Amino acid sequence: MVKIKTLEEIELMRESALVVSKTLGMLASEIKPGVNALYLDKLAEDFIREQGAEPGFLGMYDFPNTLNMSPNSQVVHGIPTAEPLREGDIISVDCGALKNEYYGDHAYTFEVGEVAAETKKLLQVTKESLYIGIREFRAGNRVGDVGFAIQNYCENHGYGVVRELVGHGLGKSLHEKPEMPNYGKRGRGKKFVDGMVVAIEPMINMGTKNIKQLKDGWTILTADGKPSAHFEHNVALVNGKPELLSTFQYIYEALGIESDEENEFRQSKLQL
């Protein structure tokens, strides 16, 4: 059952999402060659607690850390290690925070130093597909409209769209209904109505769509060892339109990037 949120609840969820946004922004300037994921994980845990929140992933389903950190061919759910990052790596950082009884949960794939041009393109297309999917999250559309838009865009670039892992509803639970696949058919699935809040998160592979799991029970990798990218936003449906609760602007400020990509998903006055 989909849990519809009031405007007041959506604003509380924005606070939770912004804890994550600020955490990813803090990490952006720390991610560089020679730094290891365990160090970054500890920074994130402390920073989240300093914001009056709790790490959303730590201990959930017995996950041992604050961050899912998935470098290179790891798709998602990577466990932070002491292995140093290297020039040319990419690393997906997925972070969750619990504040005011609500979860924020989003992700960004970072470049470590200078990365190969083909890898840059994978990241670019994956992030573009996120916003293409968000545009379809509007009143009257259905889950399949979002999935189709993401799948079509990424497959037209020759990439593999992961099937086994999906986005989800968000609220007082980290994973609520509806599931939000990154593939599908137009007009299929749950219809969107005002007050829905979801995490849309394309997981896109440079090669095959197929994946495998490590014996640690968590880490998901591409079956062919090629890189994978992951970007995620938290989005509410307000006045029939998608309203971003999370932001990448803290990341962009840290990295000196100018972007207006989020502007179309910000409503000046919200009313339900």
Side-chain angles (χ1 to χ4, degrees):
M1 178 179 175
V2 175
K3 297 180 180 178
I4 301 302
K5 312 303 190 295
T6 66
L7 182 60
E8 290 74 20
E9 289 176 309
I10 287 171
E11 288 306 312
L12 290 175
M13 294 190 68
R14 190 193 304 276
E15 290 185 30
S16 303
L18 288 178
V19 170
V20 178
S21 299
K22 292 173 182 177
T23 303
L24 293 175
M26 178 274 295
L27 292 171
S29 57
E30 298 284 343
I31 293 174
K32 60 190 71 172
V35 171
N36 71 66
L38 277 175
Y39 167 76
L40 297 170
D41 185 75
K42 178 59 176 171
L43 287 182
E45 179 181 352
D46 292 345
F47 188 81
I48 290 169
R49 295 189 191 281
E50 287 167 5
Q51 295 184 81
E54 296 292 322
F57 297 167
L58 183 61
M60 181 170 285
Y61 314 125
D62 295 323
F63 188 75
N65 294 88
T66 292
L67 301 173
N68 292 163
M69 304 195 76
S70 309
N72 302 319
S73 63
Q74 293 185 17
V75 181
V76 288
H77 300 163
I79 298 175
T81 72
E83 183 176 350
L85 297 174
R86 298 173 298 177
E87 184 84 16
D89 283 347
I90 58 172
I91 185 164
S92 166
V93 182
D94 193 354
C95 179
L98 178 64
K99 186 176 183 180
N100 302 321
E101 300 184 332
Y102 290 93
Y103 282 93
D105 166 27
H106 52 284
Y108 192 91
T109 301
F110 293 90
E111 300 176 16
V112 183
E114 289 296 321
V115 307
E118 63 178 0
T119 305
K120 280 182 177 286
K121 182 181 177 184
L122 171 67
L123 269 57
Q124 176 186 341
V125 169
T126 302
K127 183 152 68 71
E128 289 170 352
S129 78
L130 170 61
Y131 294 109
I132 287 169
I134 290 172
R135 288 189 190 104
E136 298 296 321
F137 181 58
R138 58 181 188 265
N141 274 8
R142 295 179 180 270
V143 166
D145 296 310
V146 173
F148 174 84
I150 293 171
Q151 178 185 8
N152 185 61
Y153 188 72
C154 293
E155 289 184 348
N156 281 344
H157 283 85
Y159 298 138
V161 179
V162 174
R163 301 297 200 272
E164 295 88 344
L165 302 155
V166 299
H168 50 90
L170 191 67
K172 288 189 174 181
S173 297
L174 182 63
H175 298 113
E176 295 186 355
K177 297 294 183 182
E179 291 190 342
M180 297 290 294
N182 298 303
Y183 62 95
K185 295 183 178 180
R186 290 198 178 280
R188 302 285 183 88
K190 188 73 177 178
K191 182 181 286 188
F192 300 135
V193 298
D194 274 359
M196 293 177 71
V197 180
V198 298
I200 298 176
E201 50 178 320
M203 290 157 273
I204 308 300
N205 301 340
M206 185 178 287
T208 179
K209 68 180 185 295
N210 297 325
I211 59 173
K212 58 185 179 181
Q213 187 174 40
L214 290 183
K215 292 180 180 179
D216 63 18
W218 284 102
T219 307
I220 303 295
L221 302 95
T222 59
D224 58 8
K226 292 183 178 180
S228 182
H230 176 212
F231 291 87
E232 178 181 14
H233 266 313
N234 301 156
V235 196
L237 192 60
V238 180
N239 300 324
K241 301 175 183 178
E243 168 74 15
L244 276 185
L245 305 183
S246 53
T247 179
F248 293 153
Q249 289 304 314
Y250 296 105
I251 295 171
Y252 296 156
E253 288 172 12
L255 299 179
I257 297 171
E258 293 187 9
S259 172
D260 61 359
E261 66 192 15
E262 298 178 0
N263 290 356
E264 66 181 284
F265 307 112
R266 304 287 185 198
Q267 299 179 44
S268 58
K269 188 175 182 180
L270 304 183
Q271 294 181 336
L272 277 180

